[in-house]
Amino acid sequence: MHFFCKCGFRFSDAGDSIPYKARILADQDVKELVEILEYGEQPHNDDLELFAPACDLIEKSIFQCPECGRLYVEDNDYSFLQFVPCEDAQPSEEVNKHLLISVHGNRWRGFLYGDWKNPKPEYSEHKGYIEPMVNMQFDNLCFDNYTDFEDRYYELFDELVKKDVIEYSALRVNGVKKHTWSRD
Ligand SMILES: [Zn+2]
């Protein structure tokens, strides 16, 4: 699923750990979730599924545009209600545009991916891309020179491991894994 913000930003709902998406747990449903977790904690013989009923409680999503800060809250009929950020009742873009990141904030552990394809595929603007899935901002991670690409990947890898903010890292060159690392 994807949709466009009023400002043009493209929201994509594909994949995990999307930094601009969160799930809504209604306060009215907290008790039910706690009961499911407590039940799972007790020794039991029932072949009861706990995962699905827990997921059903957090099915509604909320998205925030990282460009303009607009919020899109899922309605009960799978449409989205749009909210424009305001300060003193006036629309304002000077707001936190990362409201929906993990409760662990900058310490949330994500992933680092580097991908190099030569020759450059038609759908791609550059040969190499580095994607740090962490709650930190990095610029200029598109490459057309392999040495620059690889140097930057290992530089970022060292930095993110040192900061203890990644679980996994992988460098792919023409579809072959050249480097992988996992925290455990
Ligand atoms: Zn926007």
Side-chain angles (χ1 to χ4, degrees), residues 112 123 179:
L112 174 67
Y123 58 80
H179 171 251

Side-chain angles (χ1 to χ4, degrees), residues 12-21 23 51 108-111 113 131 133-134:
S12 169
D13 199 14
D16 297 325
S17 309
I18 300 167
Y20 48 71
K21 176 185 176 184
R23 307 294 187 112
F51 180 74
W108 177 75
R109 288 198 196 96
F111 314 90
Y113 296 116
E131 282 184 74
M133 298 266 288
V134 292

Side-chain angles (χ1 to χ4, degrees), residues 104-112 132-136 138 156-169 181 183:
H104 301 294
N106 293 344
R107 297 188 316 279
W108 177 75
R109 288 198 196 96
F111 314 90
L112 174 67
M133 298 266 288
V134 292
N135 289 330
M136 297 158 73
F138 297 99
L156 266 177
F157 172 71
D158 287 341
E159 181 184 337
L160 298 178
V161 167
K162 214 162 136 191
K163 289 190 166 136
D164 195 20
V165 292
I166 50 171
E167 293 278 1
Y168 183 79
S169 185
W181 173 88
R183 195 167 168 270

Side-chain angles (χ1 to χ4, degrees), residues 43-104:
H44 57 271
N45 295 321
D46 303 343
D47 193 14
L48 239 181
E49 209 192 322
L50 303 173
F51 180 74
C55 284
D56 285 349
L57 297 175
I58 50 167
E59 225 185 36
K60 264 207 242 178
S61 300
I62 177 168
F63 291 80
Q64 185 185 30
C65 177
E67 303 288 334
C68 71
R70 275 187 180 80
L71 278 181
Y72 292 81
V73 181
E74 200 175 334
D75 210 340
N76 286 337
D77 61 358
Y78 299 103
S79 64
F80 284 100
L81 272 181
Q82 191 188 126
F83 296 86
V84 177
C86 291
E87 270 178 331
D88 295 328
Q90 292 302 316
S92 166
E93 286 197 15
E94 303 303 310
V95 294
N96 177 5
K97 292 166 189 160
H98 306 281
L99 284 175
L100 307 182
I101 63 170
S102 156
V103 292
H104 301 294

